[in-house]
Amino acid sequence: MSPSLVYADDAMVAVDKPAGMLSVPGRGEHKRDCAALRVAQRWPNALIVHRLDMGTSGLLVFARGAQAQRTMSMSFAGRSVHKRYEAVVQGLVAQDEGEIDLPLIADWPNRPLQKVDHDIGKPSLTRWQVMSRDEASGRTRLSLEPVTGRSHQLRVHLMSIGHPIVGDELYDPVRAAESTRMLLHACELRLPHPVSGQDLMLQSTVPF
């Protein structure tokens, strides 16, 4: 399955990345295929600005050229980009909304795992809201807003409060086989256009 086009102009490209595809090449020839390579085949000047985990589907944006990449990277770093995800998690979440404010850091002996570390972890904040609860399956659908953008932030934060994402092989390996994929999707991105500066809203349909 290839990424599907969501938006393109002279300054940027946005695609819908399927679950199971790398954002950028991994180590080894068998991990060369990725969203960045597929996009560059059509737009040779497309440069990566951010990433999605291989198991995460949804919106992935690229800058066309170095100047656009610098501008867009600054927008992401300066938190001028609003991101919304949807996830289905294990368990029935009791409250209707809340925040997870837990510092994160790489779990170096167990890479690529990340972990909560209150001493040297980087500040990390996720806002969440219940969309629906499924009593029969014992699962909850959440709308997620990562205020910060740490590696595996949503996955570790949800696991840390006892509600790991369904299908997450890294943070809930025992139950991961219950789903053919990780149920996490990047469904909205609102960001300043790298040339005009005007707000651009990108949306993707959640496939689960």
Side-chain angles (χ1 to χ4, degrees), residues 5 48 61 69 110 121 133 150 168 197 206:
L5 180 64
I48 195 78
V61 297
Q69 186 189 41
N110 301 300
R133 297 179 179 89
R150 309 299 179 201
D168 191 335
V206 180

Side-chain angles (χ1 to χ4, degrees), residues 35-203:
L37 180 67
R38 302 280 189 99
V39 170
Q41 287 171 347
R42 183 169 176 183
W43 295 277
N45 64 343
L47 301 170
I48 195 78
V49 177
H50 69 125
R51 303 180 187 188
L52 295 176
D53 294 342
M54 185 172 72
T56 305
S57 56
L59 293 166
L60 187 63
V61 297
F62 296 82
R64 296 189 64 186
Q67 180 57 53
Q69 186 189 41
R70 283 191 292 271
T71 301
M72 294 180 76
S73 295
M74 288 173 63
S75 294
F76 274 88
R79 300 182 191 173
S80 301
V81 178
H82 170 81
K83 295 171 280 187
R84 190 177 79 82
Y85 292 69
E86 284 189 26
V88 177
V89 301
Q90 301 282 7
L92 299 175
V93 179
Q95 294 177 305
D96 289 335
E97 61 183 19
E99 293 186 346
I100 306 169
D101 187 2
L102 293 170
L104 301 178
I105 195 169
D107 187 356
W108 287 106
N110 301 300
R111 287 176 291 178
L113 290 173
Q114 309 289 309
K115 65 179 182 178
V116 174
D117 191 312
H118 292 281
D119 295 323
I120 57 175
K122 296 180 180 179
S124 307
L125 177 63
T126 299
R127 298 191 178 109
W128 58 266
Q129 188 170 27
V130 170
M131 300 181 71
S132 63
R133 297 179 179 89
D134 186 338
E135 303 255 353
S137 66
R139 295 174 176 178
T140 306
R141 182 177 290 267
L142 298 177
S143 175
L144 302 166
E145 180 193 346
V147 179
T148 50
R150 309 299 179 201
S151 181
H152 296 183
Q153 176 176 314
L154 298 176
R155 300 165 69 177
V156 179
H157 271 176
L158 291 165
M159 180 268 295
S160 298
I161 64 168
H163 296 287
I165 297 171
V166 173
D168 191 335
E169 295 179 348
L170 283 180
Y171 297 101
D172 192 29
V174 173
R175 291 180 289 185
E178 293 178 12
S179 176
T180 56
R181 57 155 295 179
M182 183 169 63
L183 301 186
L184 178 63
H185 184 78
C187 55
E188 285 184 6
L189 269 178
R190 189 180 71 240
L191 69 163
H193 188 274
V195 175
S196 70
Q198 294 183 336
D199 260 8
L200 179 65
M201 172 63 86
L202 303 171
Q203 294 180 307

